Amino acid sequence: MNKGEKRPIAAPNFDMRPGGRGNPNSRASVQKPKNLKKTVVRLIRYIGSSKYILIALLLIMLAVTAAELAGPLLQGNAIDAIEPIYVNAETDEILFNYDKNDPRFEGISVKTVFRVHFWRGSYVGRDGRTAGMVSYLAAMAVIFLACSLLHYFQGIIAAKLSQRTVYTMRNDLFRKISRLPISYTDNHKHGDIMSRMTNDVENVSNAISQAITSLFSAVLTLVGAFAMMLVLSPIMTLVAMVTVPLSIFISTKLGKFMRRYFVRQQRLLGSLNGTVEEMVTSYQTVVVYGKEEAAVAHFSEISGGLRDCAVSARVWGSVMGPVMNFIGNLQYVMIAATGGAMILFGGPGNISIGNIQSMLSYSKRFTRPINQIANQYSTILTALAGAERIFEIMDQPEEVDEGVLDLSPAEIEGNIEFENIHFHYVEGEPVLKGLNLSVKAGQKVAIVGATGSGKTTVVNLLTRFYEVVEGKITVDGIDIRDLPKKTLRRAIAIVLQDTVLFHDTIRANIMYGRPTATEQEMKEAARHAKADRFIERLPDGYDTVLDEEGSNLSRGQRQLLSIARAVLADPKILILDEATSSVDTRTEMHIQQAMVALMKNRTSLIIAHRLSTIRDADVIVVVKNGVIAESGNHDELLALGGEYAKLYRNQFAGIAT
């Protein structure tokens, strides 16, 4: 597509020159997520699609939480089983439960020994109940072992949930991209789209495998710890709750402040990927114009913005943890002080040292989930920012296809009519202004004109890459909007100036448009395209694997392969868009010979700047200012002395001298 014919209306155009406008995302203020609640709900739906894995994960986490909550209770009971034992200094008689009215304690020097007294594995405590110390220790050992095993399985299941979720999301995103109109990919930086497919999806994966399990565990632990604290001591529980509003207030305020940094970080990362992709694909142009330093400066500007934003995001993200830890420690001190006062001065309920220790442990478990959420906040925000960018693409309208006619590509003959076509890429800047063109089946029609005149736009409208604003295009008298796009496009083959080849074998590239073709048909297509000679000289022949974009072949060889692919597809309509403009004269001769066989008995539209390549066209039309300025064959147009003659003289002015 000629760049002069359209201007992207959405993609940022970064100026590579020093002093250029640079990256628009580098401004300080960036909008926070448009609809955070909607993003969370949609993400939960994706997670819920693996419901059996999710249920298994929840059950394991419930078991882990129950086991962990039983630990402090057992620990408190074990502490309460450690009873002060008084020993008569004269008789070594063991005395329990100091009582000043007991005559055995009167006038006798008594030493207090804090030790555990075992009697057949049990100890008779002050309240007369049997508390098995060994049983408590054994139960705690079993619980700790069970927790370790459950955590192991929890990690495995969380990984499965994460990967299945992002597998579904990545497939949905790729499927959506494949159904977007061409205008979307034309108007958005490819690097940014790829960043959403890779970086943003990966961030979602990390959040699910790490942060989501932490959130589930946090909720279960919060509820369980709160219930256990109420059972042990309502008063100390009330004291512990004093710090909760403070935690919620601080986490909410910090969260709102931090969120914008993480959203901006993902946007800058997408812009950085787009710049790298642009640099790699345009490397030769950058080098030939000596713009390496400008390109590096431009990259450094975006990379520096990303660095500063990432530092700010991490700094503010790391603030949350210490603040929450401080509040948790404050709560710990308040509970310990309250419990000590209740023992020293008395208070409601029968509180013990073991109960206080259990309360302290439960308070830690109560504040730990808040700290976990705080520590995972940066991961969660990054994932939500990435998920929102993913859903932005998923919410884009798909390519419209109103075609309902039951017609096969083989039934199309190739008569084409452009009737009063009006079109613009940008509102108020028309490209075509009432263009009319008639092409008969089997006719070879060349379209010429100055850059930006609308030549390639004619092809884009015929293939329905874009939709006409006004007028209609018919094929065999049928409005192309009534034809299914798949049917229309299968009847058309395009050979572009910049060939598109895939990282696969030569055989697979030739058979791309017709994978059901036989080996013989594939080789016959290569022969018609004059590609068989160089293919058979390759060590692996048709099994030769092409590098990315076929870079291990010459430009002419790549063009011959694209022609072979078009021959095998056997289209009714053929479009040649500057197919020989970037090769040398000798290679052009071979390509021209191949195209003669390709165009035989097919309706052919040829877009060309080299007028020497279209002299034998049945009709040559000159597009100027969005309309057909003149048409005829080569000799007629030269004799007319109009626009074509002017183009021809300008192109070959140097030959006569």
Side-chain angles (χ1 to χ4, degrees):
M1 181 175 297
N2 295 329
K3 292 183 179 179
E5 293 182 20
K6 61 185 272 316
R7 292 186 309 207
I9 58 177
N13 180 21
F14 299 142
D15 193 347
M16 300 294 286
R17 298 169 299 174
R21 68 184 180 126
N23 182 4
N25 287 329
S26 61
R27 59 185 184 275
S29 61
V30 176
Q31 296 296 321
K32 59 184 180 182
K34 299 174 184 177
N35 196 329
L36 185 61
K37 181 179 178 181
K38 182 179 178 181
T39 301
V40 171
V41 170
R42 292 180 69 173
L43 193 56
I44 290 174
R45 287 176 184 168
Y46 268 99
I47 296 171
S49 62
S50 304
K51 58 182 179 181
Y52 295 113
I53 296 179
L54 182 60
I55 291 172
L57 180 61
L58 288 174
L59 290 175
I60 288 182
M61 293 175 65
L62 187 61
V64 169
T65 303
E68 289 181 341
L69 290 175
L73 187 62
L74 292 173
Q75 185 183 26
N77 290 338
I79 290 175
D80 284 340
I82 303 175
E83 187 73 21
I85 298 175
Y86 301 93
V87 181
N88 190 303
E90 296 181 359
T91 65
D92 283 337
E93 179 184 4
I94 297 175
L95 305 174
F96 302 101
N97 300 334
Y98 176 76
D99 185 357
K100 62 181 180 180
N101 297 320
D102 190 332
R104 291 177 299 174
F105 289 92
E106 188 175 348
I108 301 176
S109 174
V110 177
K111 59 182 180 181
T112 302
V113 180
F114 289 92
R115 65 181 180 179
V116 178
H117 176 66
F118 289 94
W119 181 257
R120 295 181 180 176
S122 65
Y123 165 67
V124 181
R126 70 177 81 180
D127 56 2
R129 292 180 300 177
T130 300
M133 189 68 174
V134 174
S135 300
Y136 290 137
L137 295 176
M140 292 174 66
V142 170
I143 285 176
F144 292 151
L145 178 60
C147 279
S148 299
L149 292 174
L150 289 172
H151 274 298
Y152 171 74
F153 290 113
Q154 176 181 310
I156 294 176
I157 295 177
K160 286 186 177 181
L161 178 64
S162 166
Q163 292 307 312
R164 286 203 179 189
T165 301
V166 298
Y167 168 81
T168 304
M169 180 178 289
R170 188 180 286 117
N171 282 354
D172 287 350
L173 178 59
F174 192 85
R175 188 178 296 108
K176 181 68 178 189
I177 292 173
S178 70
R179 295 174 179 173
L180 290 174
I182 298 295
S183 57
Y184 183 88
T185 54
D186 278 350
N187 295 329
H188 290 79
K189 296 193 76 173
H190 297 172
D192 182 63
I193 296 175
M194 289 188 289
S195 178
R196 301 185 194 215
M197 175 67 72
T198 53
N199 295 329
D200 291 336
V201 172
E202 189 62 29
N203 287 331
V204 172
S205 173
N206 292 336
I208 294 173
S209 61
Q210 299 174 19
I212 298 300
T213 54
S214 296
L215 285 176
F216 286 161
S217 177
V219 172
L220 294 174
T221 304
L222 274 172
V223 174
F226 182 72
M228 296 300 294
M229 290 168 69
L230 280 176
V231 170
L232 290 173
S233 175
I235 291 180
M236 284 193 286
T237 302
L238 183 62
V239 171
M241 293 301 104
V242 171
T243 60
V244 172
L246 181 62
S247 299
I248 295 174
F249 175 79
I250 292 178
S251 62
T252 302
K253 291 297 182 182
L254 280 177
K256 288 182 178 179
F257 185 76
M258 291 159 51
R259 189 181 305 151
R260 57 181 176 178
Y261 286 104
F262 289 98
V263 174
R264 181 168 175 247
Q265 180 180 335
Q266 292 306 110
R267 291 179 180 173
L268 285 173
L269 186 59
S271 181
L272 188 72
N273 288 335
T275 301
V276 172
E277 188 258 349
E278 185 179 68
M279 174 64 178
V280 171
T281 56
S282 309
Y283 182 68
Q284 290 182 340
T285 303
V286 173
V287 171
V288 78
Y289 282 99
K291 292 291 184 179
E292 296 94 334
E293 293 301 323
V296 170
H298 176 63
F299 177 84
S300 298
E301 179 186 355
I302 301 176
S303 181
L306 177 61
R307 175 202 60 206
D308 296 340
C309 182
V311 169
S312 298
R314 296 303 171 190
V315 166
W316 286 107
S318 62
V319 164
M320 183 80 80
V323 171
M324 292 297 105
N325 285 333
F326 171 78
I327 295 175
N329 291 332
L330 178 62
Q331 182 191 70
Y332 192 91
V333 171
M334 292 171 65
I335 292 174
T338 303
M342 291 174 67
I343 288 181
L344 290 175
F345 305 111
N350 185 21
I351 197 73
S352 67
I353 298 295
N355 292 148
I356 295 176
Q357 177 58 38
S358 296
M359 281 293 298
L360 291 173
S361 296
Y362 283 127
S363 71
K364 279 295 184 183
R365 279 166 171 75
F366 186 81
T367 56
R368 186 188 303 164
I370 301 176
N371 293 338
Q372 285 178 342
I373 296 173
N375 292 330
Q376 292 289 341
Y377 204 75
S378 62
T379 303
I380 295 171
L381 283 181
T382 301
L384 290 177
E388 187 175 53
R389 282 163 46 82
I390 293 169
F391 294 143
E392 281 178 1
I393 294 183
M394 290 187 179
D395 291 338
Q396 293 296 320
E398 295 185 2
E399 191 175 31
V400 178
D401 188 359
E402 319 92 329
V404 294
L405 290 180
D406 186 13
L407 193 69
S408 69
E411 296 177 80
I412 294 177
E413 295 180 5
N415 295 289
I416 306 171
E417 290 283 345
F418 292 81
E419 302 176 15
N420 192 33
I421 301 300
H422 291 262
F423 178 77
H424 59 254
Y425 293 103
V426 179
E427 186 73 35
E429 299 182 17
V431 177
L432 299 180
K433 312 168 188 176
L435 180 139
N436 292 281
L437 176 62
S438 178
V439 182
K440 296 179 180 178
Q443 198 173 32
K444 187 193 304 182
V445 176
I447 304 174
V448 300
T451 299
S453 60
K455 302 185 301 296
T456 301
T457 300
V458 172
V459 172
N460 287 338
L461 296 178
L462 175 61
T463 53
R464 294 194 67 189
F465 291 162
Y466 290 83
E467 300 293 342
V468 297
V469 175
E470 185 180 334
K472 71 174 181 177
I473 303 172
T474 64
V475 173
D476 298 339
I478 303 171
D479 193 324
I480 60 173
R481 286 171 291 197
D482 296 329
L483 286 172
K485 287 186 176 180
K486 185 176 293 186
T487 300
L488 175 66
R489 291 170 182 172
R490 283 183 177 175
I492 301 173
I494 302 178
V495 180
L496 301 171
Q497 172 185 354
D498 297 321
T499 56
V500 177
L501 297 174
F502 301 95
H503 180 51
D504 206 334
T505 62
I506 288 178
R507 174 184 286 100
N509 273 278
I510 295 176
M511 298 174 67
Y512 187 78
R514 190 181 160 199
T516 58
T518 64
E519 182 80 2
Q520 183 60 35
E521 289 173 330
M522 183 272 299
K523 291 185 176 180
E524 188 68 16
R527 186 181 67 80
H528 279 296
K530 311 296 183 185
D532 57 328
R533 299 174 186 174
F534 84 83
I535 294 174
E536 291 170 357
R537 289 198 300 266
L538 295 173
D540 296 323
Y542 289 91
D543 293 319
T544 300
V545 177
L546 300 182
D547 293 342
E548 186 178 358
E549 297 181 356
S551 58
N552 51 338
L553 298 179
S554 70
R555 180 165 293 181
Q557 289 172 335
R558 296 199 296 269
Q559 195 67 280
L560 291 177
L561 284 185
S562 67
I563 293 173
R565 180 167 58 200
V567 170
L568 186 61
D570 194 20
K572 294 300 181 71
I573 301 171
L574 178 66
I575 298 172
L576 303 174
D577 191 350
E578 305 286 359
T580 62
S581 63
S582 59
V583 297
D584 60 84
T585 305
R586 181 179 178 84
T587 303
E588 180 185 359
M589 181 181 66
H590 291 298
I591 295 175
Q592 287 284 7
Q593 292 172 355
M595 289 195 300
V596 168
L598 177 59
M599 290 185 288
K600 188 176 181 180
N601 300 323
R602 293 184 174 93
T603 303
S604 303
L605 295 178
I606 308 167
I607 298 174
H609 279 300
R610 289 188 183 179
L611 302 186
S612 60
T613 63
I614 58 169
R615 296 178 60 135
D616 61 342
D618 298 323
V619 178
I620 300 173
V621 297
V622 181
V623 180
K624 182 180 181 182
N625 295 328
V627 297
I628 303 296
E630 56 191 35
S631 64
N633 61 36
H634 175 73
D635 294 330
E636 291 171 346
L637 292 178
L638 281 182
L640 187 64
E643 290 296 324
Y644 181 80
K646 186 188 300 183
L647 289 171
Y648 190 82
R649 285 195 302 269
N650 290 340
Q651 192 167 117
F652 295 98
I655 296 179
T657 58

